[in-house]
């Protein structure tokens, strides 16, 4: 065992050569390109030198539109389809529903990776105790500071997080919504480094996050993305639509799958959600995400997710999406124009439909009049 006085204790996801490699202390001194493995080991530091856990690179999220709602059915459906990473938070008020779905899944605790977050409500100690009670587990796999804006004293809170990890209440600790400066300050002043920084990430803000991604890679901190599908859900009609649609056509994939594949090409993990079974399968069909599931357990046959995995995006396609995303999100005016054009298209469609219905009505009436009202009388003379 290594002494804490001899080295920094990292609770981080390492840029390792193999998805299953154990912690290599020399990695923290290398300035190597970051490759996010399909299943990324989270290493507990010196005291857990010979053990590791693995974080699936796609998580089923229970925030967003689900805040305060009973998501039990959707979490159960996600688990059934193959999601093994579940993401919640104190603020979402969905932890108890995640817990219920986990308890009823029939899976052992080790089959699932559970993330939740401290959202600044009450003390950190009170919050993690409540979260564990809500979920019905003795520990979570990853515990995050939800947002630095919700925390009065980040250094003191992180010190508590380090205690939680040492006490076994969580296997790893991390942060969410930290910018580069905030992450640098935390890393510099901490004993246990954050394993993850979960951020808002998509092609439109990739350029502004390049330095953050590079810094995280250098320090073995995994970036995890939420709202990656914003180009489709929030900003349709923007600059990235063209290269995304072109890649989708080549691959025989959907634009959603192309975006997820693009996120993975940046070495970034994914948090996404849906109430639709079809959409969940669509997410999981992205090639390396499927491999991620099959490495952890085999909940489905390959046929259940499609017989042919999606091919990788080419470097040219990735570069085209990068370049388009650097132009920025469409403005409110552009979005308004897009919506107006859509409305105009809908109105045109409705107008044409009305004309067709009117023509059918006229034809029917003409047939009725000529057949029954104007026909020669057949009565005897």
């Amino acid at each position: 065992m290594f002494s804490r006085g001899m080295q920094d204790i990292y609770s981080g996801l390492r840029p390792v050569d193999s998805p299953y490699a154990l912690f290599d202390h020399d990695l923290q001194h290398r300035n190597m390109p970051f490759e996010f493995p399909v299943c990324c080991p989270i290493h507990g530091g010196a005291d857990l030198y010979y053990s590791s856990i693995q974080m699936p690179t796609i998580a089923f999220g229970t925030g967003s539109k689900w805040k305060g709602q009973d998501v039990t059915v959707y979490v159960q459906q996600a688990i059934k389809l193959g999601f093994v990473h579940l993401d919640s938070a104190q603020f979402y008020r969905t932890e108890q529903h995640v817990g219920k779905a986990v308890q009823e899944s029939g899976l052992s605790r080790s089959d699932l990776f559970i993330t939740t977050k401290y959202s600044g409500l009450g003390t950190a100690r009170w919050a993690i105790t409540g979260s564990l009670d809500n979920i019905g587990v003795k520990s979570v796999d990853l515990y995050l500071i939800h947002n630095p804006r919700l925390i009065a004293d980040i250094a003191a809170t992180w010190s508590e997080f380090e205690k939680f990890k040492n006490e076994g209440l969580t296997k790893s600790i991390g942060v969410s919504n930290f910018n580069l400066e905030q992450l640098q300050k935390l890393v510099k002043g901490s004993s246990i480094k954050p394993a993850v920084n979960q951020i808002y990430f998509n092609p439109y803000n990739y350029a502004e996050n390049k330095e953050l991604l590079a810094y995280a890679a250098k320090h073995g901190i995994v970036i995890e993305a939420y709202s990656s599908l914003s180009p489709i859900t929030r900003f349709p009609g923007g600059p990235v639509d063209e290269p995304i649609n072109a890649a989708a056509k080549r691959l025989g994939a959907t634009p959603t799958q192309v975006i997820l594949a693009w996120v993975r090409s940046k070495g970034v993990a994914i948090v996404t959600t849906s109430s639709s079974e079809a959409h969940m399968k669509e997410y999981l069909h992205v090639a390396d995400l499927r491999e991620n599931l099959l490495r952890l357990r085999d909940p489905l046959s390959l046929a259940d997710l499609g017989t042919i995995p999606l091919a990788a995006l080419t470097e040219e396609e990735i570069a085209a999406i990068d370049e388009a995303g650097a132009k920025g999100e469409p403005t409110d005016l552009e979005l308004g124009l897009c919506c107006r054009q859509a409305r105009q298209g809908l109105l045109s469609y409705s107008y044409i439909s009305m004309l067709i219905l009117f023509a059918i009505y006229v034809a029917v009436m003409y047939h009725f009049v000529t057949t029954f009202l104007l026909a020669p009388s057949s009565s005897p003379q």
Side-chain angles (χ1 to χ4, degrees), residues 283-324:
Y283 303 155
L284 296 177
H285 187 52
V286 178
D288 71 337
L289 301 180
R290 171 198 290 185
E291 289 301 316
N292 174 43
L293 297 173
L294 296 178
R295 286 174 185 265
L296 289 170
R297 62 185 180 87
D298 188 14
L300 303 170
S301 68
L302 285 174
D304 289 325
L305 291 178
T307 56
I308 303 175
L310 295 178
L313 295 174
T314 66
E315 292 184 5
E316 291 75 18
E317 287 168 336
I318 294 169
I321 295 172
D322 293 351
E323 183 179 353

Side-chain angles (χ1 to χ4, degrees), residues 10 23 61 65 96 120 123 136 156 164-165 172 215-216 218 291 297 304 340-341 349:
Y10 275 66
F23 175 76
K65 64 180 181 179
Q96 60 183 347
T123 66
F164 300 157
K165 183 186 178 305
S172 293
Y215 178 82
K218 182 179 179 180
E291 289 301 316
R297 62 185 180 87
D304 289 325
R340 186 161 60 252
Q341 290 172 336
Y349 175 78

